[in-house]
Amino acid sequence: MRRGVLAGFFALCLAACTAQPPAPPPSNPATPAAAAAAPSQSHTTIKPEDLASYDRTATHSGNLLPVAGVARRAPFDTDAAIGSDLAFTGNYAIAGNYEGFIVYDISRPERTSIVSQVYCPGPQNDVTVSGDLLFLSVDSPMTGPSCRSPMALDAGWEGIRIFDLADKRSPRYVGAVAVPCGSHTATLVPGPTPEAVYLYVSSVPTHQGVTPECEAHKGKIGVVKVPVHDPAKAALVGEPVVLPDGGTPLQRLSYGGCHDITVFTARKLAAAACIGDGLLLDIADPEHPKVLDRIQDPQHFGYWHSAVFNAAGTRVVFSDEFGGGLSIVCDPKTEPGYGGDGIYDIVDRKLKLRGYFKIPRPELEPETCSAHNGSLVPVTGRDIMVQGWYEGGASVIDFTDPAHAREIAYFERGHSPAEFGGSWSAYFYHGYIYSNDMLEGLDVLQLTGVPFAEPATTQLNAQTQ
């Protein structure tokens, strides 16, 4: 989860430096007509020939076949429109974008098509769904919660925007929740009753030392409670401390804090990737999570980014976003350094390291990559996941033997003609793998030779297992 262009603070810098804000907001800060805002003319349109050239660089293993690709279109065809995370509800995929979000019809995956696009700038705009509700994570100061609000020069509104997706062709803005230090990612946590759901909000302190809100929020996560039938009344109900010392700084950062949280609901557990720390949490009381274990690995991890549990909830894979995808650290040449995955078993509610994984393809240079967002691939008796690695592409990993995890399939493009490119997120849903390329758009991939055992699902947020 939801995650920066290339790491939290790198992403925000890129978005701020390449985009001018849209027109000033109207007097009503909660403008429902999100699509009415128009992108700034200062944005540079990505040339179709550059996209075509980039697309021709695609390669893949014989068992991971591209069956569809939906390229970006206006207003998401500019250098400011960076594709971010994915979520799924019914026969639809929702793709976040620094400029808003896109709704795709995936009822026939080979004919995936765009249903609607909502222009609503707010980096990163990571997406989380719950039924007909969509939550957008905004981790850059804006002058207000409206989709027409420009970026603020200093302190401003940050948090969660909420949309009603009942009509996929015309999503409707219904409200917003301010969160101290913003929402880098938001993880859906089911409530004890169906009347409400929770969001665990990770606020990577990209403005550390600049805003009092970020200083006061160090070591905390935000807990937002959403009444399902009245989402406009969603509110921040807690800021539990999970890192009493503020977190371990890494990669020459002067701060710590949580970047991404994945919950395993059946066991009431959560794995939190917190820049310099990996946490295991007890979430039996969703408003008051408790830390069960805290680990560091400074020799192998430079920026703890995200986590994926196995199907039993007894193993977790943490990813390292060292360099934020701006360096080449995910391949064998930097073994056993940074930019890959660490695989941990959960033993007596503690994390025990079992092994590491990196992409085995040595020909990646000059492509830039590090581990990023992935999800479990449901296979009986085996632990398999798919993961986005920026320009390292989408990799399918068998980690059944955690000491010898191996890549069993891949899809990648070459080096991007723009400042960004590659797979931000790669997730398995309803028999297919969907990868959101930050430059190109949505890729639909079919994995063969693997006996899927997917339970009946009508929704997927990869960070809610």
Side-chain angles (χ1 to χ4, degrees):
M1 287 180 198
R2 89 125 153 51
R3 333 203 196 13
V5 147
L6 301 165
F9 57 100
F10 293 118
L12 295 173
C13 176
L14 178 58
C17 294
T18 60
Q20 294 296 320
S27 55
N28 178 6
T31 305
S40 166
Q41 297 303 310
S42 66
H43 294 171
T44 301
T45 300
I46 303 296
K47 297 178 181 177
E49 56 267 31
D50 287 343
L51 281 177
S53 176
Y54 178 55
D55 205 40
R56 285 193 295 270
T57 65
T59 61
H60 58 88
S61 59
N63 58 344
L64 189 59
L65 308 177
V67 297
V70 185
R72 298 160 18 135
R73 72 184 192 198
F76 297 100
D77 58 349
T78 72
D79 57 358
I82 300 161
S84 59
D85 209 7
L86 293 168
F88 303 84
T89 180
N91 290 322
Y92 299 90
I94 319 299
N97 189 286
Y98 275 54
E99 296 287 86
F101 64 93
I102 305 170
V103 180
Y104 294 93
D105 182 340
I106 58 171
S107 56
R108 293 183 294 176
E110 292 86 353
R111 297 186 180 182
T112 293
S113 60
I114 294 175
V115 175
S116 60
Q117 301 188 134
V118 175
Y119 184 79
C120 189
Q124 314 179 134
N125 274 338
D126 271 20
V127 290
T128 308
V129 296
S130 179
D132 286 331
L133 297 178
L134 171 69
F135 308 100
L136 290 185
S137 286
V138 179
D139 192 26
S140 186
M142 314 296 287
T143 59
S146 163
C147 287
R148 291 182 178 268
S149 301
M151 294 180 70
L153 296 178
D154 194 351
W157 180 90
E158 301 177 79
I160 302 286
R161 288 170 172 153
I162 306 172
F163 286 80
D164 186 327
L165 282 181
D167 182 353
K168 303 298 187 296
R169 295 188 177 278
S170 184
R172 182 173 60 88
Y173 179 101
V174 296
V177 180
V179 179
C181 207
S183 175
H184 199 60
T185 63
T187 301
L188 184 75
V189 182
T193 67
E195 282 71 36
V197 296
Y198 292 89
L199 298 172
Y200 281 177
V201 177
S202 296
S203 305
V204 175
T206 50
H207 316 297
Q208 171 72 18
V210 176
T211 65
E213 291 82 4
C214 284
E215 281 289 342
H217 199 66
K218 285 173 60 175
K220 301 176 182 179
I221 63 173
V223 179
V224 172
K225 186 176 182 179
V226 183
V228 171
H229 300 297
D230 194 0
K233 292 185 178 178
L236 183 71
V237 295
E239 297 178 70
V241 176
V242 295
L243 295 163
D245 58 2
T248 303
L250 276 182
Q251 199 172 291
R252 298 185 299 278
L253 304 178
S254 61
Y255 49 79
C258 286
H259 181 281
D260 206 346
I261 302 170
T262 298
V263 300
F264 193 87
T265 56
R267 298 191 67 192
K268 308 296 184 185
L269 294 175
C274 301
I275 299 184
D277 303 278
L279 303 181
L280 184 66
L281 306 175
D282 180 330
I283 59 168
D285 179 351
E287 291 192 26
H288 302 94
K290 299 177 180 178
V291 177
L292 299 172
D293 198 13
R294 176 180 177 181
I295 56 174
Q296 295 89 28
D297 187 357
Q299 271 64 55
H300 296 90
F301 272 54
Y303 196 108
W304 294 66
H305 180 274
S306 53
V308 175
F309 286 94
N310 68 352
T314 57
R315 180 172 294 161
V316 61
V317 179
F318 283 102
S319 67
D320 173 34
E321 196 196 15
F322 180 86
L326 292 171
S327 55
I328 310 167
V329 291
C330 66
D331 64 11
K333 292 191 292 296
T334 52
E335 190 70 31
Y338 306 99
D341 292 330
I343 305 167
Y344 292 80
D345 280 345
I346 301 172
V347 181
D348 297 327
R349 294 162 77 85
K350 300 292 183 182
L351 295 165
K352 303 297 182 183
L353 178 66
R354 299 303 190 218
Y356 296 103
F357 171 82
K358 282 194 173 186
I359 292 176
R361 290 168 270 135
E363 74 282 1
L364 287 173
E365 193 170 358
E367 298 165 38
T368 57
C369 67
S370 61
H372 212 230
N373 290 345
S375 77
L376 194 68
V377 176
V379 179
T380 301
R382 295 166 67 185
D383 290 341
I384 295 178
M385 63 179 287
V386 61
Q387 187 172 7
W389 295 73
Y390 291 124
E391 289 184 354
S395 177
V396 181
I397 306 157
D398 187 329
F399 62 104
T400 308
D401 178 356
H404 302 93
R406 59 194 179 93
E407 180 177 80
I408 61 173
Y410 73 90
F411 170 87
E412 66 163 294
R413 290 186 174 85
H415 192 41
S416 169
E419 293 182 89
F420 52 88
S423 179
W424 178 291
S425 301
Y427 298 147
F428 181 93
Y429 183 70
H430 287 185
Y432 290 81
I433 288 171
Y434 296 85
S435 174
N436 201 22
D437 188 292
M438 295 188 293
L439 175 68
E440 174 71 18
L442 187 68
D443 292 305
V444 185
L445 312 170
Q446 187 170 29
L447 179 64
T448 60
V450 175
F452 303 127
E454 186 175 18
T457 57
T458 58
Q459 176 180 290
L460 176 69
N461 297 291
Q463 293 74 33
T464 306
Q465 293 186 241

